[in-house]
Amino acid sequence: MAKKIEAKIVDYGVVKPEDERPTEARNEIDIEHMHERIQRPEALEGQTYKIKTPLSEHALYVTINDVVLNPGTEHEVRRPFEIFINSKNMDHFQWIVALTRIISAVFRKGGDCTFLAEELRSVFDPRGGYFKRGGRFMPSLVAEIGDVIETHLKAIGMLEADELDEHQKRFIEQKRAEVEGGGAPANDGDGERGGFPENSELCIKCNTKAMVQMDGCLTCLNCGESKCG
């Protein structure tokens, strides 16, 4: 379509295809996403998580540092950038260094890295797993590292938190009150079962030893899972 120019021409330029798009579409170009070419800033925000297992007298400390993309805008997000695992126990030094380098590389690659948590949590130790404080079962040390990554990804908003609704919370509170009222022996919270009855069974949904027999049904006092639906 021809346009009549009324004013004096003082400059000119060639219109590019992206300039003909709506303003909203052009602004999408300015949104920075995670990719492997992002340079590491001088300082990063992060969290350190402690892992204490019965497999070793020394704890592991997992540090996950995040990079903040599009700071100060409505598109500001935190994405994991690197992971470090430190311990006085040198028995696992070699594979821990290899694991942290691979995970950090996946973080910096960009895209969906949430699969890492699920993959690591599915690793089983042939010698058997162990119970964490609160009665949660961990099939291996690698699985607990995956659990830490999942916790961190939930904290920065990359994964949705598995929170119970009000109805489920009231149901679990009611069941726990019934168990405690019935005089069932409960652990004193010394790190094995975190207040659940001693004879509890392992819940396959939340991996916590909190399944008890109530009204003819196995019911989990931690997540509300029931064999009777």
Side-chain angles (χ1 to χ4, degrees):
M1 181 179 67
K3 290 184 179 181
K4 183 178 180 181
I5 301 176
E6 303 289 348
K8 182 180 179 182
I9 298 175
V10 295
D11 196 6
Y12 72 93
V14 179
V15 177
K16 299 180 181 179
E18 57 267 22
D19 295 331
E20 297 177 345
R21 295 185 299 170
T23 304
E24 294 79 4
R26 293 201 303 270
N27 289 341
E28 291 293 329
I29 301 176
D30 300 328
I31 300 177
E32 187 174 26
H33 299 280
M34 191 66 186
H35 56 82
E36 57 189 351
R37 294 185 300 278
I38 290 181
Q39 296 297 316
R40 187 190 190 283
E42 290 294 326
L44 293 174
E45 299 179 10
Q47 296 287 338
T48 299
Y49 303 85
K50 180 180 179 180
I51 295 179
K52 186 69 176 73
T53 78
L55 305 178
S56 172
E57 60 178 327
H58 300 295
L60 272 74
Y61 296 89
V62 181
T63 300
I64 304 178
N65 292 328
D66 307 318
V67 62
V68 180
L69 303 176
N70 311 299
T73 71
E74 60 178 338
H75 302 290
E76 178 176 323
V77 292
R78 288 180 62 171
R79 291 293 179 263
F81 189 83
E82 60 192 10
I83 182 172
F84 301 100
I85 302 177
N86 297 301
S87 176
K88 291 182 179 179
N89 187 351
M90 301 299 291
D91 294 341
H92 308 299
F93 178 79
Q94 184 172 260
W95 68 261
I96 282 180
V97 171
L99 185 65
T100 54
R101 290 185 180 182
I102 292 173
I103 295 176
S104 297
V106 174
F107 283 163
R108 290 192 288 268
K109 187 72 174 178
D112 183 13
C113 63
T114 58
F115 72 92
L116 283 172
E118 183 177 356
E119 292 294 332
L120 294 178
R121 286 181 57 191
S122 64
V123 176
F124 287 80
D125 189 334
R127 297 173 298 177
Y130 55 89
F131 285 95
K132 291 177 55 179
R133 179 179 294 273
R136 190 173 182 192
F137 179 73
M138 282 295 154
S140 67
L141 177 58
V142 174
E144 186 157 7
I145 294 174
D147 188 65
V148 166
I149 293 176
E150 180 178 2
T151 299
H152 187 78
L153 295 182
K154 288 179 179 178
I156 64 176
M158 288 192 71
L159 284 174
E160 293 185 4
D162 300 326
E163 296 183 355
L164 301 176
D165 58 34
E166 291 301 321
H167 173 74
Q168 291 173 316
K169 289 179 180 178
R170 287 195 300 268
F171 174 77
I172 293 176
E173 289 174 1
Q174 177 186 354
K175 293 300 182 182
R176 293 199 67 167
E178 291 177 7
V179 171
E180 293 171 0
N187 190 277
D188 59 3
D190 61 356
E192 291 299 322
R193 294 184 176 84
F196 298 117
E198 292 285 357
N199 59 348
S200 302
E201 297 183 21
L202 183 65
C203 174
I204 60 174
K205 181 179 180 180
C206 65
N207 282 338
T208 303
K209 204 166 186 179
M211 293 283 281
V212 295
Q213 191 79 19
M214 301 194 67
D215 302 326
C217 271
L218 277 174
T219 303
C220 180
L221 300 179
N222 183 62
C223 69
E225 174 72 4
S226 175
K227 294 296 183 180
C228 299

